[in-house]
């Protein structure tokens, strides 16, 4: 995987046991190697989103929080109104980016949008005595570990098909158990937050980004599955290009809605 990514311009360094333990001293003795993505970075999504909302408001955008879209009106292949719980909006152009809920939000529009919810789990604990130096993914268990200053977060698991965001306590406990297989942690952790969230997945695992067939003023951007935060800025650029009728940064045919 590291070699494949390397060929596509992602810088990686293969770490043997000694190098890995030097890089991440709290790794347990059983951990015999790893891949260091030397160009990688990570962030706390809640802080990023709060700052992004602040920035777009400063730039003149209005953000209507807690305003559920309940339906659309369209005439001659053009959306004329967006109905919401707090009134109707007229829009020159509509962007459908409601994640796993996109097919539900768009039910009036008769789009073929086979998005399914894939539930993932998150457990955030107060910083233990030994904090990891890096954010990392535990390869075999597919659990991500992210040090956020005074907090440490574990995320993982993928359960396809249900819209419930109620976490199964068994899997919350397992996340911590899996992390303990790789790194030294305090015997008792102080859990600050635990939740489940829904990722939007497509049948082929590739996002759906493009102008909607049959509607002249709708752009769709969803289906980012496990990497929506990483891909979000790139998708934002593509959506801006699509809405403004510009040439997109790359050929979007593999991502188009026509493939469904
Ligand atoms: C546990 C977990 C860990 C993850 N870790 C990572 C990671 O490490 N890196 C990464 O890149 N990605 C990660 N992801 C995936 C990432 O969170 C998603 O890919 C991303 O959130 C998808 O973005 P989105 O904007 O399409 O959908 P969402 O973030 O789901 O946003 C959709 C929005 O639409 C709103 N909505 C729903 N219905 C309506 C309605 N009727 N009217 C108006 N609004 C509505 C929802 O409230 C929501 O705010 C993780 C996901 C989970 C669950």
């Amino acid at each position: 995987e590291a070699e494949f990514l390397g060929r596509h311009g992602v810088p990686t360094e293969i770490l043997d046991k000694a190098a890995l333990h030097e890089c991440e001293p709290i790794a347990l003795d059983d951990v015999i190697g790893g891949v260091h993505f030397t160009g990688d970075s990570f962030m706390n999504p809640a802080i990023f989103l709060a700052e992004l909302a602040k920035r777009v408001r400063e730039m003149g955008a209005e953000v209507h929080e807690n305003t559920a879209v309940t339906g659309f009106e369209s005439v001659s292949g053009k959306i004329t109104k967006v109905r919401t719980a707090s009134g109707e909006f007229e829009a020159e152009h509509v962007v459908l980016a409601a994640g796993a809920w996109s097919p539900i939000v768009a039910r009036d529009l008769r789009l073929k949008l086979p998005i399914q919810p894939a539930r993932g789990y998150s457990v955030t604990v107060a910083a233990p005595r030994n904090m990891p130096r890096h954010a990392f993914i535990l390869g075999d268990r597919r659990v991500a570990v992210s040090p956020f200053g005074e907090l440490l977060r574990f995320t993982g698991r993928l359960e396809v098909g249900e819209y419930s965001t109620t976490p199964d306590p068994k899997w919350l406990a397992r996340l911590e158990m899996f992390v303990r297989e790789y790194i030294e942690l305090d015997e008792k952790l102080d859990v600050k937050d635990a939740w489940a969230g829904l990722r939007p997945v497509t049948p082929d695992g590739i996002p759906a980004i493009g102008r909607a067939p049959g509607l002249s003023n709708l752009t769709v951007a969803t289906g980012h599955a496990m990497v929506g935060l990483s891909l979000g800025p790139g998708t934002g650029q593509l959506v801006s290009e699509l809405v403004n009728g510009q040439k997109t940064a790359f050929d979007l045919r593999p991502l188009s809605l026509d493939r469904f």
Side-chain angles (χ1 to χ4, degrees), residues 117-140:
R119 187 166 48 220
Y121 289 76
S122 170
V123 176
T124 306
V125 299
R129 262 174 304 159
N130 294 324
M131 272 292 259
R133 291 182 182 167
H134 305 84
F136 44 81
I137 294 176
L138 309 174
D140 303 308

Side-chain angles (χ1 to χ4, degrees), residues 21 25 57 77 114 138 143 207 212 258 260:
H21 284 258
R57 282 183 169 116
L138 309 174
V143 171
D258 295 335
F260 300 124

